[in-house]
Amino acid sequence: MIYRGGVGQWAYVLHRLTGVGILLFLLMHIVDTFIVRIHPEAYTRLIRNVYAAPWFKPFEVALAAAVLYHALNGIRIVLLDFFDMPSVYHKRLWAAVLFLFVLLFLPGVYFLLRPLFS
């Protein structure tokens, strides 16, 4: 029988995907920080040609989304695991996570993308 999912499955999958995405960013950040010690000019070119390029903005937005969702869902997991909340509340808590995510993420997207349109 195929598991058809539900709120718990989607919260789990999104939490794992955002965690892997954040880990990949951190690894990339460690490498580019290491480059500055070896070849400062290469680091400057990397910053100018990649991180400051307009095509890189969606990746910054995706990183902000990943960090925000991962943090909010982590709080949900802490509430469920450490405060002996019955599992019947997990759907309501995930709805709260999604609500807070949208509420906080939309202004963040505005501020991240504003330099592209000004």
Side-chain angles (χ1 to χ4, degrees), residues 5-118:
V7 168
Q9 179 188 10
W10 288 111
Y12 173 86
V13 168
L14 286 173
H15 196 73
R16 295 315 182 262
L17 287 175
T18 57
V20 169
I22 294 167
L23 176 65
L24 291 175
F25 165 76
L26 288 174
L27 292 174
M28 184 179 73
H29 184 61
I30 289 168
V31 168
D32 70 31
T33 303
F34 182 71
I35 290 172
V36 77
R37 300 284 292 169
I38 296 172
H39 200 292
E41 295 83 22
Y43 177 76
T44 303
R45 283 194 310 271
L46 176 70
I47 295 297
R48 188 180 312 119
N49 296 330
V50 177
Y51 297 140
W55 61 266
F56 196 74
K57 279 292 182 190
F59 294 104
E60 289 180 356
V61 172
L63 176 64
V67 169
L68 182 61
Y69 174 80
H70 198 80
L72 292 172
N73 193 55
I75 293 169
R76 180 188 75 88
I77 291 169
V78 167
L79 289 174
L80 289 171
D81 287 350
F82 293 116
F83 292 103
D84 200 27
M85 295 182 77
S87 61
V88 295
Y89 291 116
H90 83 94
K91 287 183 182 182
R92 292 181 195 163
L93 287 173
W94 198 57
V97 164
L98 293 180
F99 174 77
L100 287 172
F101 174 81
V102 170
L103 186 71
L104 296 171
F105 184 63
L106 291 179
V109 169
Y110 170 75
F111 286 111
L112 283 171
L113 296 180
R114 185 172 56 176
L116 290 178
F117 302 111
S118 59

